[in-house]
Amino acid sequence: MPDEFQIIRGGRLLDIDARTAEFADVLIKGNAIVEIASGGLGAPEGAIEIDAADRLLMPGLVNGHTHGNSSLAKGMGDRWTLELLLNAHPWTGAGFTQEDKCLAAKLTACELVLGGCTACLDMFAEGPAPSREGLEAAGQAYMDVGMRAVVAPMMSTRGLWQAIPGLYDVLPEEMKTVADGLQAGPGATSLETCRDALHNWPHDPARVKLGLGPTIPHHCDETFWQGCRDLAREYGVLMQTHLAESKVQAVASQELYGMSLTAFLDAQGVLGPNMVAAHAIWLSTDDMHLLADRGVSVSHNPMSNLRLGSGVAATVAMRDAGINVAIGTDTCTCADALNMFEATRLACTLSRVQGPDYEQWLESAQALEMATEAGAKALGWEGEIGRIAPGYKADIVMLDLGNVSYVPLNDPVNQIVFAENSGGVREVMIDGRMVVEDGRVTTVDMEKLRADVEVAVARQEPARVAARERVESLAVHVGPFCAGFAAQDHAVNRFVG
Ligand SMILES: [Zn+2]
């Protein structure tokens, strides 16, 4: 396989900038694209021929933010704000064992590749703190499915109930005891675990690499932030955090630090090109310029923002400030389908409810570029993935031009962004390997995966029942408190209506 040639013949190659899809053949050696030419490109003897007749070839989609651990909690929760979702973590993650970690990440990876996504940033959560075994298992899942991923362990030093000013104080005494029992693991232990995992990472980092995921700025103390900063520098890895996702967080930051969350992170020295800020909704113009100056990327996760009522991110203003804005799905408990086509469409259309000046709206080509090249840059793979071009890795999605969304084919970019729902995905090649063929994952026995998931969920059930009761008795305090907290005046407004 390393030097094997493959040639994809007869497909139409998407050119996002030109909004065209001309016929072209793509020659691949090993895991990389070596040559592209219109019809009849010569190939070395023995090259494997891939017939792409009736296929539209596009770069694999890059998902800037998900949580691979949550796929077994699919469909749980309805009218949840972000804070109610966080409050529910002990329930959505109840009974989650070591073997479930690989299983959940594998289910996530399968859903992503079936939706034309070839790389993701997975802020993988283990309660109460990450483990080397859990991280390696999550990484193994992506290796097994054949997908590219950055696995960034989600970590904190205080729980939701302690992190929002005044929330803990309004809990009844017995609920304080429950909240105390749900505290996050000590930061020093999490950092040692991450150092151990980074030092011994068993997977090929060109395919699956490790990062760090200090979850929410004010859920982590200053010492922990500085420890993450130093460890990320030492190992040259990415960090991801949820930045100003909800108004509650933005208001809390002013009360706690007298400054925005962005300014707080900058004071910890953690803002740099290796930081990918997820959501980034409640930012001021100054925050945007600071992120741009520091070279921070943002992952815009529109479905999650809508589902949790977090607000509408100012994607165009962020791009105008000079921020590299990628697109993400977020996870099954808040998104809920891990569908990058849906996320891209929402990114594009949500830019259009913010004002009447249509020149300020995202064009479909810009949205698609965010979902490909901008994602590649955010994940530290700029110049390697996100384009179909010589020298790039062979991460290629093939869409069925017989799908009704493309009949007739007038503008391939518009039709992908505004009409594709992943139903047109027929083949997906990642790193030169076909991981989806004829709309099915080739690397995983999906029937067995389904059976394993059902066994796991049945085993988790007693733990889920007990955890749900605890979570719901906390939710009646958390929900109203946070709604009141978020009703305070704040300099930025990202709600519509
Ligand atoms: Zn998230």
Side-chain angles (χ1 to χ4, degrees), residues 373-387:
E373 277 203 277
K377 182 176 179 183
L379 269 59
W381 281 316
E382 186 178 21
E384 296 181 68
I385 62 170
R387 285 184 82 91

Side-chain angles (χ1 to χ4, degrees), residues 258-282:
M259 63 180 92
S260 71
L261 291 163
T262 308
F264 168 75
L265 289 185
D266 197 48
Q268 311 312 312
V270 295
L271 297 184
N274 68 329
M275 173 62 85
V276 185
H279 301 281
I281 301 171
W282 293 81

Side-chain angles (χ1 to χ4, degrees), residues 55 397-400 423-428 436-440:
R55 294 290 188 262
V397 173
M398 302 187 206
L399 301 171
D400 179 8
V425 175
R426 300 312 296 167
E427 291 87 20
V428 178
V436 175
E437 271 179 321
D438 199 25
R440 292 172 181 274

Side-chain angles (χ1 to χ4, degrees), residues 47-304:
I48 296 165
E49 301 255 343
I50 297 167
D51 179 12
D54 233 11
R55 294 290 188 262
L56 176 56
L57 275 50
M58 65 172 286
L61 296 163
V62 180
N63 187 344
H65 182 63
T66 190
H67 301 274
N69 54 288
S70 294
S71 58
L72 304 189
K74 204 168 279 175
M76 291 166 73
D78 179 6
R79 232 162 34 172
W80 275 346
T81 61
L82 172 68
E83 285 71 30
L84 286 172
L85 170 72
L86 297 176
N87 181 71
H89 269 177
W91 171 29
T92 55
F96 202 64
T97 64
Q98 176 62 28
E99 60 183 326
D100 296 342
K101 293 170 188 171
C102 186
L103 190 65
K106 195 175 277 188
L107 186 60
T108 293
C110 286
E111 183 170 3
L112 288 173
V113 295
L114 285 167
C117 175
T118 53
C120 74
L121 203 168
D122 180 352
M123 199 192 234
F124 193 81
E126 301 173 64
S131 68
R132 180 176 152 192
E133 300 72 25
L135 295 170
E136 290 180 356
Q140 189 63 51
Y142 287 103
M143 291 299 292
D144 289 348
V145 174
M147 196 180 159
R148 247 178 255 285
V150 183
V151 177
M154 190 160 107
M155 301 178 283
S156 63
T157 60
R158 53 178 84 97
L160 168 82
W161 311 274
Q162 292 82 4
I164 298 174
L167 173 58
Y168 187 80
D169 299 333
V170 305
L171 297 179
E173 285 308 315
E174 69 276 17
M175 287 294 105
K176 284 182 179 162
T177 311
V178 173
D180 289 342
L182 298 169
Q183 275 276 36
T189 309
S190 293
L191 285 171
E192 272 317 300
T193 300
C194 289
R195 174 181 293 281
D196 184 35
L198 283 163
H199 197 73
N200 296 290
W201 190 240
H203 307 302
D204 174 7
R207 281 276 317 287
V208 178
K209 57 186 176 180
L210 198 56
L212 299 174
T215 181
I216 294 169
H218 62 109
H219 289 221
C220 302
D221 62 42
E222 283 89 336
T223 307
F224 185 68
W225 268 113
Q226 291 153 19
C228 287
R229 174 197 65 198
D230 294 345
L231 194 59
R233 274 186 200 155
E234 186 181 340
Y235 283 88
V237 298
L238 289 175
M239 282 193 279
Q240 180 158 74
T241 192
H242 298 91
L243 177 60
E245 180 176 354
S246 69
K247 188 178 174 188
V248 168
Q249 294 178 353
V251 173
S253 182
Q254 293 296 337
E255 287 199 17
L256 291 166
Y257 311 121
M259 63 180 92
S260 71
L261 291 163
T262 308
F264 168 75
L265 289 185
D266 197 48
Q268 311 312 312
V270 295
L271 297 184
N274 68 329
M275 173 62 85
V276 185
H279 301 281
I281 301 171
W282 293 81
L283 302 184
S284 67
T285 304
D286 286 349
D287 292 333
M288 292 180 200
H289 286 297
L290 184 53
L291 293 177
D293 286 348
R294 297 288 185 260
V296 172
S297 288
V298 159
S299 176
H300 170 49
N301 315 305
M303 188 62 221
S304 169

